[in-house]
Amino acid sequence: MNRLIKTTEKIQITAGILFLVIFFLATLLQIITRYMGMSVLWTEELANNAFIWAIFMGAAVMVKHKEHFTFDFLQMKLGQKNRLYLKIFIDVLLVAFNVLVTLYGFQLLEHFWNYTWETVPAFKMGFIWLAVPVMSVTMILYSVDHIADSIGKLREMNGKEVGN
């Protein structure tokens, strides 16, 4: 499981960086061509869609690194055992939320699959909407791994409160 998670994270980081580079280059091309008095219409749509993928891949990696929302004030007040229970609770919420995002993401994907880009009709919008279920499924994977890790730590504690 650990190998799958590390590989998934590397793929998402690589994809996120690639899409950020595409976003940057498309925006740069758009600026240069407008300065020259021309307008390359597809660059704006490419930049927007690349940015969507970059953000969604980055959001999933943020969940992997536990950089998402958390209750810091509450965590500082809790002992180690209760902190683990809070982490499990937060990850269970993330799993529940992402199950819904996955279900609705696949509905969006099915509905918009055959829509095309305005500026490049050969490209389907379905590939853009695919970012939603990819993000949510990997967030579920990461959250389940966090839950398993926290449960393992609770078992190690053997019911005893360990210092903060």
Side-chain angles (χ1 to χ4, degrees), residues 54-128:
I55 294 303
F56 279 47
M57 294 304 97
V61 172
M62 293 297 283
V63 168
K64 162 69 172 90
H65 291 279
K66 299 180 184 181
E67 297 288 331
H68 54 82
F69 73 95
T70 186
F71 304 106
D72 288 341
F73 176 76
L74 190 54
Q75 283 187 356
M76 291 171 20
K77 298 291 182 186
L78 297 174
Q80 187 174 1
K81 187 175 182 181
N82 287 331
R83 241 183 272 145
L84 288 170
Y85 285 123
L86 179 61
K87 286 179 182 181
I88 291 170
F89 176 72
I90 291 169
D91 283 317
V92 167
L93 284 178
L94 281 169
V95 168
F97 175 75
N98 282 304
V99 165
L100 292 175
V101 171
T102 301
L103 294 174
Y104 288 118
F106 279 117
Q107 287 179 2
L108 278 170
L109 186 61
E110 182 181 349
H111 181 75
F112 289 108
W113 183 258
N114 288 317
Y115 282 53
T116 59
W117 291 22
E118 285 213 20
T119 56
V120 186
F123 292 171
K124 292 187 179 225
M125 287 300 295
F127 290 109
I128 306 309

Side-chain angles (χ1 to χ4, degrees), residues 132-143:
V132 175
V134 167
M135 175 205 66
S136 58
V137 166
T138 55
M139 282 183 172
I140 291 169
L141 178 70
Y142 297 146
S143 296

Side-chain angles (χ1 to χ4, degrees), residues 8-34:
T8 303
E9 179 189 11
K10 285 181 185 178
I11 291 169
Q12 284 186 307
I13 289 172
T14 303
I17 290 169
L18 175 68
F19 284 115
L20 278 176
V21 168
I22 291 170
F23 166 77
F24 175 76
L25 293 175
T27 304
L28 185 63
L29 179 62
Q30 187 176 38
I31 291 168
I32 291 170
T33 56
R34 285 191 181 179

Side-chain angles (χ1 to χ4, degrees), residues 43-62:
T43 56
E44 182 178 353
E45 199 165 15
L46 176 63
N48 287 338
N49 294 334
F51 192 67
I52 289 168
W53 267 92
I55 294 303
F56 279 47
M57 294 304 97
V61 172
M62 293 297 283

